[in-house]
Amino acid sequence: MHIRFTKMQGAGNDFVVLDATRQPLTLQREQLQRLGDRRFGVGADQILVVEPSTKPEVDFRYRIYNGATGEEVEHCGNGARCFVRYVREQGLTDKDVIRVETVNRLLELRQAPDGRVTVNMGEPAFAPADLPFDPKALSPRAKHGVDVWSLPLPDGREVEIALVSMGNPHAVMRVDDVLRAPVAEIGPIVESHAQFPRRVNVGFMQVVARDQIALRVYERDAGETLACGTGACAAVVAGIRLGWLDAAVEVQTRGGQLRIEWAGPGQPVMMTGPAQTVYQGEIEL
Ligand SMILES: N[C@H](CCC[C@H](N)C(=O)O)C(=O)O
């Protein structure tokens, strides 16, 4: 199969974007993995497929696959910003506000004149069943009236995590210094911990000020990425709930800066950040 693709990045989280608006595109897992493979294919953290909408009030559908496994996932924040740039640059729409449906969310996206894109990421969810997270023998520790969980590790250590679903699952822990955080060691252990039947994205958050954090994320099925949009949303929401952060926070990631705003329960999380096209290409799959 001959495929035209667009390579994009949002704060260093990179994507292969495919246009399935003109004709249906059904890719096998192995083909998705080939697109994501940094040696034998194009290389990307996730593959984004833009599809026509099936509903009059929605402009597009957007499907997301982790590049390493070809597994479909529920949400991708940096990908949503690249999606907006893509559909406008490809002439698929000239709207300033775009409504797009993912597998389990309806997002509203808007691009500002300076090119930065703001995404209404929907409301966070916190019940263990939303992740899913199976507490088994664990019990939550209430902190600031919010449940945090002490997760036992195989070597006997424990890590304290806050659970947030942005449609996809996030376990967030606070660290003193992200540069020295044990991301490569603890990330994979928590990602595939038995308490997470569908595994989890693992965030390491350093609180710099009440309106500033530094964040690294060991992503489910991707390892550490340079930025994770839903991870930034989950970390800020957890920090606000735990009393560490105000309602608008600048998030410094290894790949760039994101701005996350959340006005509290019942409100959506708003994310603003960069999105760029890197190149276009073709590949035989
Ligand atoms: N690895 C994530 C999907 C991509 C999320 C991330 N790239 C973002 O920007 O939100 C998961 O398995 O839930």
Side-chain angles (χ1 to χ4, degrees):
M1 179 193 290
H2 189 79
I3 293 258
R4 289 181 54 76
F5 66 86
T6 299
K7 186 74 177 18
M8 301 188 78
Q9 62 85 14
N13 190 191
D14 67 338
F15 309 101
V16 165
V17 187
L18 305 175
D19 179 355
T21 60
R22 297 177 173 99
Q23 76 279 333
L25 189 58
T26 307
L27 293 174
Q28 304 306 313
R29 178 194 295 265
E30 298 71 34
Q31 293 173 310
L32 289 161
Q33 288 175 294
R34 176 87 187 285
L35 284 169
D37 191 306
R38 297 191 185 283
R39 297 287 187 286
F40 294 99
V42 179
D45 293 326
Q46 280 86 35
I47 316 297
L48 312 180
V49 181
V50 180
E51 298 179 338
S53 166
T54 55
K55 299 172 184 159
E57 73 279 9
V58 175
D59 300 302
F60 297 96
R61 274 179 61 82
Y62 142 66
R63 303 183 78 154
I64 307 131
Y65 302 86
N66 277 319
T69 59
E71 290 254 353
E72 185 164 13
V73 293
E74 309 89 344
H75 203 345
C76 178
N78 292 317
R81 298 196 315 277
C82 288
F83 165 89
V84 177
R85 295 296 298 267
Y86 179 82
V87 292
R88 288 168 58 93
E89 287 176 359
Q90 297 293 320
L92 295 174
T93 183
D94 58 2
K95 290 185 173 181
D96 289 329
V97 179
I98 299 167
R99 293 170 63 82
V100 63
E101 199 178 25
T102 70
V103 69
N104 67 359
R105 293 222 156 186
L106 182 60
L107 307 176
E108 188 171 276
L109 320 168
R110 64 183 68 221
Q111 179 167 331
D114 70 357
R116 281 167 69 85
V117 178
T118 296
V119 181
N120 175 330
M121 296 285 285
E123 289 183 36
F126 308 105
D130 292 323
L131 275 270
F133 173 72
D134 177 0
K136 282 201 184 72
L138 300 186
S139 55
R141 192 180 300 158
K143 241 184 181 176
H144 205 76
V146 169
D147 282 351
V148 293
W149 301 80
S150 193
L151 201 61
L153 303 182
D155 64 3
R157 287 181 293 171
E158 292 191 341
V159 286
E160 188 171 86
I161 56 171
L163 301 180
V164 182
S165 170
M166 287 303 302
N168 60 343
H170 291 270
V172 182
M173 65 187 80
R174 184 169 180 176
V175 295
D176 296 333
D177 178 353
V178 278
L179 297 179
R180 297 188 9 252
V183 176
E185 180 203 1
I186 302 292
I189 294 172
V190 176
E191 180 211 18
S192 53
H193 199 284
Q195 281 5 86
F196 294 101
R198 294 190 56 218
R199 287 170 299 113
V200 71
N201 299 285
V202 189
F204 298 78
M205 163 172 63
Q206 175 186 346
V207 177
V208 177
R210 291 191 61 84
D211 63 354
Q212 189 182 350
I213 66 170
L215 179 71
R216 292 171 69 183
V217 180
Y218 189 92
E219 283 197 31
R220 177 176 61 173
D221 284 347
E224 182 176 6
T225 56
L226 294 185
C228 178
T230 50
C233 295
V236 168
V237 165
I240 291 171
R241 296 182 86 221
L242 287 161
W244 303 330
L245 299 174
D246 292 336
V249 178
E250 292 297 323
V251 180
Q252 189 55 53
T253 75
R254 292 177 64 190
Q257 186 131 342
L258 302 176
R259 180 174 177 76
I260 307 295
E261 298 172 79
W262 184 52
Q267 299 299 316
V269 184
M270 303 303 287
M271 172 186 64
T272 301
Q276 276 190 328
T277 294
V278 181
Y279 67 90
Q280 297 195 327
E282 303 183 13
I283 183 171
E284 201 60 45
L285 288 179

